């Protein structure tokens, strides 16, 4: 039985004051969480997470990482810097980075490798656009995005990452994939992992993301190959995030 992971993706939201209220709200209710819980926050707030979440069961992480180790890369954040703040996770290849920052699947794969080498668990995001889904290309699009990563990591490292299936048309739109639609894609992704490492395919957590909310989480999380959620909007309200965690 795979343990579930509920990870918040705060995106570019938050403030010191608002984060303190949100994290206190989550912490105060979470002593008995039966799943893994994490928040991926804007880099300036990693120190705050470290100070407020150390010693709790909640882990934290970044939303992107540089492929470079250090040097003249203005604006980028190195894996070693995420290590400095005791991050457990880092999101790579979120569709907002792929589309607004032109990140290719090869770059995303290199970022995943960098994260794994640094002891961070990359949450590798894949997902198709509405146009691609309507053209029947969902499996080939997400398959290629995942293959880019699988082709550059060692088989033994497959179990050191998390995959998030996030249909682009469902992110922040209020439209969710039906549990069966999501399950079908998750099964395809798990089969791809199996072709590289059968044992990793058994244990790897494959999250669903895209308008997961308290009222649809239970059904999605009940599907066989859905091992958790990457939560955007609903991770910004303690009550909603906690309700999703309770469904897991
Ligand atoms: P959403 O975002 O839950 O607001 O749709 C999910 C994500 O982009 O990770």
């Amino acid at each position: 039985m795979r343990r579930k992971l509920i990870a918040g993706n705060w995106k570019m939201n938050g403030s010191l004051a608002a984060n303190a209220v949100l994290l206190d709200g989550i912490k105060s209710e979470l002593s008995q969480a039966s799943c893994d819980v994490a928040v991926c926050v804007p880099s300036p707030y990693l120190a705050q997470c470290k100070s407020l979440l150390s010693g709790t069961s909640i882990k934290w992480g970044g939303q992107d990482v540089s492929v470079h180790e250090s040097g003249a890369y203005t604006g980028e954040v190195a894996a070693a810097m995420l290590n400095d703040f005791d991050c457990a996770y880092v999101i790579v290849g979120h569709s907002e980075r792929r589309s607004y920052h032109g990140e290719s699947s090869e770059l995303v794969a290199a970022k995943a490798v960098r994260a794994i080498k640094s002891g961070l668990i990359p949450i590798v995001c894949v997902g198709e656009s509405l146009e691609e889904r309507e053209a029947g290309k969902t499996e080939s699009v997400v398959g290629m995005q995942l293959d880019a990563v699988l082709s550059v990591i060692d088989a033994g490292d497959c179990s050191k990452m998390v995959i998030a299936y996030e249909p682009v048309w469902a992110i922040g739109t209020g439209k969710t994939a039906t549990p069966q639609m999501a399950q079908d894609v998750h099964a395809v992704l798990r089969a791809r992992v199996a072709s590289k490492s059968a044992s990793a395919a058994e244990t790897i957590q494959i999250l669903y993301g895209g308008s997961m909310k308290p009222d649809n989480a239970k059904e999605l999380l009940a599907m066989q190959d859905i091992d958790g959620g990457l939560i955007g909007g609903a991770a910004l309200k303690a009550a909603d995030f906690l309700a999703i965690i309770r469904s897991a």
Side-chain angles (χ1 to χ4, degrees):
M1 185 62 180
R2 288 179 293 272
R3 208 173 145 81
K4 291 204 172 9
L5 165 63
I6 301 297
N9 173 12
W10 288 7
K11 309 194 179 187
M12 200 175 72
N13 293 293
S15 66
L16 285 174
N19 304 346
V21 173
L22 176 56
L23 293 174
D24 278 347
I26 300 168
K27 268 193 327 190
S28 64
E29 298 267 332
L30 211 66
S31 48
Q32 73 290 40
S34 58
C35 65
D36 297 335
V37 176
V39 289
C40 293
V41 308
S43 302
Y45 300 129
L46 291 172
Q48 186 185 24
C49 284
K50 182 171 161 157
S51 114
L52 295 182
L53 299 178
S54 290
T56 74
S57 58
I58 307 167
K59 305 250 188 325
W60 58 96
Q63 300 175 1
D64 185 31
V65 66
S66 176
V67 284
H68 305 289
E69 240 167 274
S70 65
Y73 301 101
T74 302
E76 295 210 33
V77 174
M81 298 171 185
L82 298 177
N83 292 144
D84 266 348
F85 292 95
D86 295 340
C87 288
Y89 295 95
V90 63
I91 297 171
V92 299
H94 191 278
S95 68
E96 286 150 19
R97 299 232 35 110
R98 291 180 192 260
S99 64
Y100 305 148
H101 301 272
E103 292 196 10
S104 66
S105 291
E106 290 65 38
L107 179 67
V108 172
K111 289 183 172 190
V113 170
R114 172 65 66 201
I116 291 170
K117 279 207 179 108
S118 304
L120 297 159
I121 300 170
I123 301 176
V124 178
C125 300
V126 299
E128 82 289 2
S129 65
L130 186 56
E131 208 182 8
E132 289 162 339
R133 173 162 282 271
E134 285 173 347
K137 293 185 185 157
T138 299
E139 288 187 15
S140 66
V141 168
V142 300
M144 277 190 302
Q145 290 171 336
L146 180 58
D147 282 351
V149 178
L150 295 177
S151 66
V152 295
I153 62 174
D154 297 333
D157 282 345
C158 288
S159 58
K160 297 181 185 157
M161 64 177 192
V162 169
I163 298 169
Y165 168 54
E166 298 210 309
V168 177
W169 48 270
I171 294 175
T173 57
K175 289 187 199 147
T176 325
T178 64
Q180 192 58 52
M181 277 158 88
Q183 163 61 30
D184 290 348
V185 179
H186 282 230
V188 167
L189 295 170
R190 196 176 304 283
R192 293 260 177 170
V193 176
S195 66
K196 178 101 185 178
S197 164
S199 60
E202 288 296 313
T203 56
I204 194 167
Q205 291 167 317
I206 306 181
L207 315 184
Y208 169 79
S211 299
M212 193 186 267
K213 302 264 177 324
D215 61 1
N216 59 27
K218 208 177 177 72
E219 274 188 312
L220 285 158
L221 293 167
M223 303 309 283
Q224 190 185 345
D225 288 297
I226 302 185
D227 309 314
L230 184 57
I231 320 295
L236 299 173
K237 279 197 204 141
D240 287 356
F241 194 55
L242 286 163
I244 295 172
I245 292 166
R246 280 192 288 268
S247 316

